[in-house]
Amino acid sequence: MAAPLSDGERRKQISVRGIAGLGDVAEVRKSFNRHLHFTLVKDRNVATPRDYYFALAHTVRDHLVGRWIRTQQHYYERDPKRIYYLSLEFYMGRTLQNTMVNLGLQNACDEAIYQLGLDLEELEEIEEDAGLGNGGLGRLAACFLDSMATLGLAAYGYGIRYEFGIFNQKIVDGWQVEEADDWLRYGNPWEKARPEYMIPVHFYGRVEHTPDGVKWIDTQVVLAMPYDTPVPGYKNNTVNTMRLWSAKAPNDFNLQEFNMGDYIEAVLDRNLAENISRVLYPNDNFFEGKELRLKQEYFVVAATLQDIIRRFKSSKFGCRDPVRTCFETFPDKVAIQLNDTHPALSIPELMRILVDVEKVDWDKAWEITKKTCAYTNHTVLPEALERWPVSMFEKLLPRHLEIIYALNQMHLDHVAALYPGDIDRLRRMSVIEEGDCKRINMAHLCVIGSHAVNGVARIHSDIVKNSVFKDFHELEPEKFQNKTNGITPRRWLLLCNPGLAEIIAEKIGEGFITDLSQLKKLLDFIDNEAFIRDVAKVKQENKLKFAAYLEEQYKVKINPQSMFDVQVKRIHEYKRQLLNCLHAITLYNRKSPSLSLPGLLPRREGRAAPGYHMAKMIIKLITSIGEVINNDPYVGDKLKVIFLENYRVSLAEKVIPAADLSQQISTAGTEASGTGNMKFMVNGALTIGTMDGANVEMAEEAGEENLFIFGMRVEDVEAMDRKGYNAREFYESLPELRQAIDQISSGFFSPRDPGCFKDVVNMLMYHDRFKVFADYEAYIKCQGQVDQLFMDPREWTRKVIRNIACSGKFSSDRTITEYAREIWGVEPSATAIPPPNLPRN
């Protein structure tokens, strides 16, 4: 069998990367050598691969800087409305290849590096992932930044520059072990420190009401140092900014200790301040009410709002004199999007600045705040909702607590006037939850303080309106919207699957890169035999390449002719990795000499939150099932179960193009949207899934018959909740399910520790909120239909082509266009900014 083409070889054949001009190649080579010369220290003449990577990164960055400066000039001169996307997570992954793609530099760099006797792919692999996110929410923010730049919006991403990102996951004896992700240890060539914009952030202290207004005094100050990362749009010369804040202690931090003579202790205590940006909290869909987390949330909000107001007051490039003093026009020039409730403190903080600092009238300040802020809800799971203890606010943010109380009183007075005597409604709608521990419901704060509230898929937005925020929707129905998530086609098609991008471009041109809806034109080629062969060939090459990667990195040998059946996501009970486990066990139990399995390779990747016991047990179960199945000579290479450790953006870019089947099997009504489902769809995997999240709209776009849809719908789940879910009924009536559970329970998959999985079995039998057994029979039957279709490669590939053709809706460009027009009140621009070597006008 021929070895798969490397991406480098494939890129040389690819038109969508742009043809490398001789001048471009020569310029890249010259710049690379210059940077390499300055990278090497005097006493070291031999360059390492990392030296080569940094030289190339700086070469590519040179092409960004002129465009970056010009973009900011363009914004300052035209003074457009600016969009501020606030998120505690930006899961960026690697930057080098994405930047080359968006600047149209990839072929020039490829050729230049080749001429220098180096391999571009090897250099790309040296870059650390910027893992400043847990999963979907952080990756969505990264896709949105790419789309906002590509659409020419004056947009900024604001977050925290975590010193340690999402932990590195190791699997030791089948168990997850966490290691710190020291992603900055070799430096980050893409960021630029901006100490001139350092900003003070206040904590603790007390509030004083004086005739001159309210003063928040005796506070502890932490400095926020901004680090800017350029975010290039696709071939439009727009380069926006992601500004991440790092915590620094001021020189007079703990001055009292200093003055008492304990110099060493005072210096060491600086760490207390700087710990704010030390580490990303590794929880996904789970609220952990720690003071440090609340400090992080206020830190990013306080620094960002001061920065936004500074920029609002200055209108001309290079001018930092305050020229605007009236805040009447603030919502016309500023839109703040809150990515979930983590930046919810923007609402009381903006009120504090307007009322206490800028002396704006309270009612006017509230009107400005509401017109400026908008809130995206990302989850309906109750354990994920942020509910901070009032006592913590009282100590850490006393002025904000006063403001929240006042806002809540205004809000409840309004509700009481509309619904007189309805005390229960007031309790349900209050921002303050009464009880043993009084808490602040941050989602309620976001809803009352925003002019728009959106869910992230149609089914999710309906649940938000009809269940999660039902009372609020009845009060202000016009406030609620849907914005179905999307993914950037630059990273998730052009970059990660160049072979597929090329054969698509040959058929329909390159317009799909910035207008993914053009993929609909592929419907004309569903019965084109040459195109069917090309799509199948690209998929097989991707599988060969990934099989070689698995063998090299994980020492696992797999059959590339087998079906690559993939479930990649955070480990969580609602995502039902356990249902997938039960399918693998059922297949294994069905083995017989006459059974011809289509060569299934179920693969699971994902992290468990370090404190989430059940998620860690699920990982141990997956690895234990793999241990038994993969070493059974009777099964051979017909069935393998593999858990890939340390799943991250750069690994997703390898896995997704190679997948045949995408598992999207959450209980209906629990997954807000999902974006992995979209990445698999556009890369030519078929979907097996429930009618949950964006799966519903994917089925609508491609036709339900072109996905493998199974299981309960939302209304079925609700009916079962009313009736009561009894797992034992399913266990006793389904022999194959009973056999699988008994094997897990008896220690068949854990012979050295037979009771290892008692907690998993106990949860499934008696405490399963996500009803795994209820969907088991339908899932197994649906998997049988998958196996049957996979035996017919032509029919399978026709369905693949239809799915790719119907995936255009799921571009983040479409999502951001909807946000821009319907929430932010701005219009995307298709006009490119002139490049730095041409006059601006």
Side-chain angles (χ1 to χ4, degrees):
M1 191 179 290
L5 287 174
S6 73
D7 276 356
E9 292 165 325
R10 175 162 290 289
R11 285 198 290 256
K12 288 190 171 54
Q13 306 169 359
I14 287 183
S15 60
V16 288
R17 304 292 174 145
I19 293 168
L22 289 175
D24 295 336
V25 174
E27 187 197 337
V28 168
R29 259 179 44 205
K30 183 179 172 186
S31 180
F32 178 88
N33 283 325
R34 182 168 51 83
H35 279 297
L36 186 62
H37 174 76
F38 290 113
T39 298
L40 292 175
V41 290
K42 287 176 185 169
D43 59 346
R44 185 161 62 84
N45 294 319
V46 180
T48 66
R50 182 161 276 104
D51 294 326
Y52 293 133
Y53 160 71
F54 272 96
L56 178 59
H58 287 119
T59 299
V60 172
R61 195 181 70 173
D62 288 346
H63 288 260
L64 273 174
V65 171
R67 291 171 171 84
W68 198 7
I69 292 168
R70 176 154 289 191
T71 301
Q72 301 316 310
Q73 283 174 335
H74 182 79
Y75 293 159
Y76 270 91
E77 286 165 3
R78 283 159 183 74
D79 195 27
K81 184 172 185 177
R82 289 172 166 84
I83 315 306
Y84 297 100
Y85 196 84
L86 270 65
S87 180
L88 268 281
E89 300 183 21
F90 286 97
Y91 204 169
M92 302 300 285
R94 291 171 176 165
T95 298
L96 174 60
Q97 194 181 352
N98 189 72
T99 304
M100 291 191 296
V101 165
N102 279 12
L103 294 185
L105 276 176
Q106 192 149 17
N107 268 4
C109 290
D110 221 341
E111 183 58 34
I113 294 301
Y114 173 75
Q115 288 178 13
L116 291 163
L118 300 167
D119 184 296
L120 185 59
E121 270 188 86
E122 286 178 11
L123 298 189
E124 288 167 352
E125 285 297 315
I126 289 166
E127 184 176 0
E128 300 278 347
D129 276 52
L132 307 185
N134 278 287
L137 178 135
R139 186 51 237 171
L140 182 79
C143 283
F144 280 3
L145 292 185
D146 179 272
S147 285
M148 288 188 279
T150 297
L151 292 167
L153 297 176
Y156 304 76
Y158 274 95
I160 294 179
R161 180 184 180 262
Y162 300 106
E163 197 177 316
F164 296 94
I166 186 64
F167 60 86
N168 285 322
Q169 179 197 52
K170 297 275 186 240
I171 301 298
V172 179
D173 295 330
W175 296 97
Q176 170 177 294
V177 175
E178 299 89 28
E179 290 181 354
D181 168 40
D182 192 6
W183 72 288
L184 291 168
R185 66 189 174 281
Y186 299 112
N188 176 9
W190 305 105
E191 68 182 8
K192 173 81 178 76
R194 304 298 300 273
E196 67 273 27
Y197 292 115
M198 191 124 66
I199 284 173
V201 175
H202 298 260
F203 295 100
Y204 304 108
R206 59 192 176 85
V207 180
E208 212 171 64
H209 293 261
T210 73
D212 299 330
V214 182
K215 293 189 170 24
W216 182 18
I217 58 172
D218 298 338
T219 57
Q220 188 182 100
V221 176
V222 175
L223 298 176
M225 160 87 93
Y227 286 80
D228 288 355
T229 299
V231 180
Y234 182 73
K235 293 187 178 178
N236 65 350
N237 299 318
T238 294
V239 180
N240 283 342
T241 302
M242 175 177 70
R243 176 163 283 182
L244 303 181
W245 301 102
S246 182
K248 298 278 175 209
N251 286 333
D252 60 356
F253 187 77
N254 263 1
L255 192 62
Q256 194 179 348
E257 239 174 45
F258 232 81
N259 293 341
M260 287 162 59
D262 200 341
Y263 166 75
I264 298 294
E265 199 59 40
V267 172
L268 293 180
D269 276 357
R270 292 169 63 87
N271 278 330
L272 299 174
E274 295 173 1
N275 280 341
I276 290 173
S277 58
R278 193 81 69 204
V279 63
L280 167 76
Y281 269 82
N283 296 317
D284 193 53
N285 279 303
F286 183 76
F287 169 59
E288 186 170 8
K290 296 275 176 39
E291 185 178 294
L292 178 60
R293 173 66 171 184
L294 184 57
K295 275 186 173 176
Q296 288 182 342
E297 293 184 356
Y298 180 63
F299 174 74
V300 69
V301 158
T304 299
L305 277 167
Q306 288 180 70
D307 214 34
I308 289 171
I309 288 168
R310 173 193 58 77
R311 199 177 283 116
F312 167 75
K313 286 180 170 181
S314 308
S315 62
K316 286 194 177 153
F317 180 73
C319 167
R320 291 176 65 184
D321 300 327
V323 292
R324 278 199 193 101
T325 51
C326 172
F327 280 83
E328 193 81 37
T329 59
F330 192 74
D332 302 326
K333 290 297 179 184
V334 172
I336 295 173
Q337 190 68 37
L338 309 176
N339 193 25
D340 216 334
T341 56
H342 313 140
L345 286 164
S346 299
I347 292 163
E349 174 66 2
L350 183 52
M351 284 294 289
R352 186 189 71 80
I353 294 171
L354 292 175
V355 173
D356 296 356
V357 180
E358 301 294 343
K359 307 302 181 190
V360 177
D361 170 74
W362 176 274
D363 290 336
K364 174 52 74 177
W366 185 229
E367 183 191 327
I368 291 167
T369 298
K370 285 204 290 186
K371 282 183 179 173
T372 302
C373 296
Y375 159 56
T376 301
N377 173 272
H378 280 278
T379 182
V380 298
L381 296 179
E383 64 266 35
L385 295 175
E386 292 196 297
R387 297 158 61 250
W388 289 103
V390 164
S391 56
M392 197 182 285
F393 259 77
E394 216 161 18
K395 181 174 72 156
L396 192 70
L397 301 168
R399 177 58 180 147
H400 297 77
L401 182 60
E402 287 186 351
I403 291 169
I404 289 168
Y405 272 137
L407 295 177
N408 190 45
Q409 192 58 56
M410 279 169 55
H411 160 62
L412 292 181
D413 289 347
H414 177 57
V415 174
L418 291 171
Y419 301 93
D422 195 342
I423 304 300
D424 199 46
R425 183 180 292 268
L426 292 177
R427 180 189 56 75
R428 291 196 308 267
M429 295 184 74
S430 177
V431 175
I432 308 296
E433 296 179 356
E434 301 294 338
D436 292 343
C437 172
K438 277 171 79 166
R439 291 179 177 274
I440 300 169
N441 186 314
M442 302 305 272
H444 289 186
L445 178 61
C446 285
V447 174
I448 69 166
S450 299
H451 70 276
V453 175
N454 72 280
V456 289
R458 196 173 61 234
I459 185 175
H460 169 236
S461 296
D462 288 343
I463 292 168
V464 162
K465 288 188 287 194
N466 302 327
S467 175
V468 183
F469 299 131
K470 184 172 186 286
D471 295 318
F472 294 91
H473 179 247
E474 285 174 9
L475 189 68
E476 298 177 287
E478 70 288 347
K479 186 180 271 193
F480 290 80
Q481 304 187 19
N482 173 56
K483 297 286 169 277
T484 298
N485 281 344
I487 57 168
T488 168
R490 271 72 63 185
R491 186 178 290 267
W492 295 112
L493 180 53
L494 198 55
L495 181 155
C496 75
N497 203 342
L500 182 60
E502 172 58 11
I503 62 170
I504 291 171
E506 283 172 1
K507 286 288 184 262
I508 65 170
E510 297 172 20
F512 71 92
I513 299 168
T514 50
D515 177 11
L516 206 63
S517 67
Q518 291 189 26
L519 290 179
K520 272 268 189 271
K521 296 175 185 173
L522 292 176
L523 291 171
D524 295 341
F525 300 97
I526 280 181
D527 295 310
N528 181 305
E529 294 303 328
F531 191 60
I532 290 171
R533 276 197 308 275
D534 286 346
V535 170
K537 181 169 177 254
V538 166
K539 178 62 73 177
Q540 197 53 36
E541 283 179 353
N542 290 338
K543 289 170 72 172
L544 278 165
K545 189 173 180 205
F546 189 67
Y549 174 82
L550 278 183
E551 193 168 349
E552 181 195 338
Q553 296 293 322
Y554 294 88
K555 310 296 179 259
V556 177
K557 201 168 175 58
I558 57 167
N559 176 7
Q561 301 300 323
S562 64
M563 182 199 298
F564 284 19
D565 174 351
V566 181
Q567 185 178 21
V568 290
K569 42 192 78 243
R570 281 296 287 255
I571 309 292
H572 199 296
E573 288 159 77
Y574 86 87
K575 294 179 186 284
R576 299 203 297 190
Q577 283 92 352
L578 287 170
L579 188 55
N580 202 343
C581 288
L582 292 173
H583 171 241
I585 295 170
T586 302
L587 272 184
Y588 177 66
N589 288 336
R590 286 178 179 179
K591 68 186 189 294
S592 70
S594 61
L595 178 67
S596 175
L597 292 172
L600 279 162
L601 175 69
R603 279 209 312 283
R604 293 146 187 113
E605 296 103 14
R607 289 178 172 85
Y612 188 176
H613 169 70
M614 188 52 65
K616 288 190 160 184
M617 290 308 306
I618 291 168
I619 290 175
K620 176 62 174 170
L621 178 60
I622 295 166
T623 57
S624 299
I625 291 168
E627 188 72 20
V628 171
I629 293 176
N630 301 347
N631 292 303
D632 188 333
Y634 201 66
V635 173
D637 67 354
K638 286 182 181 171
L639 179 64
K640 297 265 189 227
V641 176
I642 298 165
F643 185 91
L644 291 186
E645 69 183 17
N646 208 32
Y647 185 62
R648 57 203 183 279
V649 175
S650 56
L651 185 52
E653 290 163 8
K654 297 176 174 68
V655 174
I656 290 169
D660 291 306
L661 187 69
S662 158
Q663 300 268 350
Q664 307 296 332
I665 58 178
S666 52
T667 312
T670 61
E671 184 73 86
S673 166
T675 47
N677 45 5
M678 304 167 186
K679 293 164 193 166
F680 283 107
M681 185 185 194
V682 78
N683 278 282
L686 297 186
T687 300
I688 182 167
T690 51
M691 277 299 206
D692 196 24
N695 295 356
V696 176
E697 289 160 81
M698 286 162 53
E700 197 174 86
E701 293 294 303
E704 204 173 311
E705 68 282 4
N706 293 300
L707 282 76
F708 297 98
I709 298 294
F710 73 93
M712 296 182 290
R713 308 301 211 251
V714 169
E715 51 273 23
D716 301 321
V717 174
E718 289 170 349
M720 186 170 278
D721 281 333
R722 286 192 296 271
K723 175 188 158 206
Y725 167 62
N726 185 347
R728 184 161 284 281
E729 279 178 20
F730 295 99
Y731 170 80
E732 286 172 354
S733 63
L734 300 169
E736 287 189 311
L737 172 62
R738 185 166 65 247
Q739 182 186 5
I741 293 298
D742 288 349
Q743 285 170 314
I744 295 169
S745 183
S746 67
F748 181 84
F749 296 105
S750 54
R752 288 192 292 269
D753 182 6
C756 182
F757 300 116
K758 66 179 188 304
D759 289 352
V760 176
V761 173
N762 186 54
M763 183 275 291
L764 285 170
M765 293 294 291
Y766 304 110
H767 311 288
D768 181 12
R769 293 157 55 204
F770 304 107
K771 306 173 180 63
V772 169
F773 291 2
D775 274 342
Y776 169 83
E777 190 175 21
Y779 180 57
I780 299 297
K781 186 179 172 191
C782 195
Q783 285 277 15
Q785 294 164 9
V786 173
D787 299 346
Q788 200 174 349
L789 186 67
F790 194 71
M791 299 293 201
D792 183 348
R794 184 180 181 278
E795 221 23 64
W796 179 278
T797 306
R798 285 181 75 250
K799 271 200 200 300
V800 164
I801 294 168
R802 184 175 291 279
N803 271 266
I804 295 169
C806 296
S807 65
K809 174 180 179 177
F810 305 106
S811 166
S812 49
D813 298 343
R814 187 266 317 150
T815 312
I816 289 298
T817 299
E818 290 178 8
Y819 274 99
R821 290 175 177 158
E822 297 163 25
I823 294 180
W824 304 329
V826 294
E827 189 61 30
S829 167
T831 310
I833 293 173
N837 57 335
L838 293 179
R840 271 190 281 169
N841 299 320

